[in-house]
Amino acid sequence: MTRTLAAIVLTFSACLLSQARSRTLDEFVSKVSSSLVSFEYSFSCQVNGTKMTGEGDVLLQDDCFKVVGNGLDIRCDGKTRWTLDTFAEEAVIEPVDAGSEDGFAVNPALLVSAVDKAFNETSFGTSKFGGAQVDESVLAPQKKGKSSSDISLLKLYFKKGTQILSGAEVTLNDGTVSTFTLKNFRFSDKLKEKDSFRINEKTLGSDYVVTDLR
């Protein structure tokens, strides 16, 4: 269940950086590429008949990210990913392989560089999300070349007339639909150091079981 939760959150984080085409999305991508992005999220989905919910905080910058929530602390500095399960006191450290097929799921920057090969925007218009009028972008993966892994359809909801993301709906190939609600979405100046996107495993308690796959 922990790995499923991590996969859902990381897939969404990857989606966040993968968009282009309409003016709203073009401007959004431009701001994401030049900023430190931070937000709070909550989500819900059905996995094998079981409802899963979660919430947490995210930082994104270039090829780095930090996702903390529901007992998970996941960080990536573009080369290495650390996944901590603070409940089970387990840590997994693994390299990020830019050439692998699952690279899109673990490294959001790959989606930025491959957006033209990964998605087509099928429509852009107005919709409702969370009881408010929003701008809605609907995207589908291209059939040829590398795509964003398990994603079959993606809907992004922006606050009307802005590049502020207020929600998203991610549909996977297996039919799983995850709905994300975002709060306090901000664009800030980039961090000069990557320390926020790394975990020093030497500082973990002696009870932690650390699996280092580097």
Side-chain angles (χ1 to χ4, degrees):
M1 186 69 76
T2 295
R3 292 187 65 85
T4 300
L5 178 61
I8 290 170
V9 173
L10 284 177
T11 297
F12 169 67
S13 298
C15 290
L16 179 62
L17 294 177
S18 70
Q19 321 316 323
R21 292 295 76 87
S22 70
R23 180 176 178 180
T24 295
L25 288 175
D26 283 341
E27 292 177 352
F28 175 73
V29 169
S30 178
K31 295 194 72 170
V32 168
S33 298
S34 61
S35 306
L36 170 71
V37 181
S38 62
F39 60 89
E40 301 167 24
Y41 72 88
S42 60
F43 79 90
S44 64
C45 67
Q46 292 281 341
V47 177
N48 297 324
T50 301
K51 183 177 181 179
M52 296 182 63
T53 61
E55 58 184 13
D57 301 279
V58 171
L59 283 179
L60 294 171
Q61 177 177 303
D62 298 328
D63 58 355
C64 305
F65 60 83
K66 174 183 176 182
V67 179
V68 179
N70 291 90
L72 294 176
D73 187 338
I74 307 169
R75 308 192 197 191
C76 177
D77 65 0
K79 296 181 179 179
T80 302
R81 183 176 70 170
W82 293 261
T83 302
L84 265 64
D85 185 331
T86 57
F87 292 152
E89 295 189 307
E90 296 176 349
V92 177
I93 309 167
E94 53 196 330
V96 174
D97 184 358
S100 68
E101 291 185 0
D102 65 350
F104 289 107
V106 298
N107 191 339
L110 294 181
L111 283 171
V112 176
S113 62
V115 61
D116 291 337
K117 303 178 183 68
F119 280 96
N120 287 324
E121 186 176 50
T122 60
S123 66
F124 185 85
T126 59
S127 183
K128 273 194 173 184
F129 182 81
Q133 287 286 333
V134 294
D135 292 327
E136 179 191 64
S137 175
V138 180
L139 299 104
Q142 294 186 8
K143 299 301 182 181
K144 60 182 180 179
K146 287 185 177 180
S147 65
S148 56
S149 186
D150 297 329
I151 304 165
S152 63
L153 187 67
L154 176 63
K155 295 181 180 180
L156 297 181
Y157 304 106
F158 295 90
K159 289 185 178 179
K160 195 73 175 166
T162 76
Q163 290 78 48
I164 301 301
L165 197 61
S166 59
E169 185 178 279
V170 181
T171 302
L172 304 183
N173 291 326
D174 65 3
T176 300
V177 178
S178 302
T179 301
F180 288 81
T181 300
L182 277 57
K183 296 191 303 182
N184 298 323
F185 193 97
R186 294 188 179 94
F187 297 106
S188 306
D189 293 338
K190 285 186 176 182
L191 300 175
K192 294 182 179 180
E193 303 294 335
K194 292 186 176 182
D195 291 347
S196 296
F197 305 105
R198 299 185 177 116
I199 292 176
N200 184 353
E201 56 272 16
K202 294 180 181 179
T203 64
L204 298 176
S206 58
D207 291 334
Y208 263 85
V209 177
V210 179
T211 302
D212 194 334
L213 303 176
R214 290 174 292 185

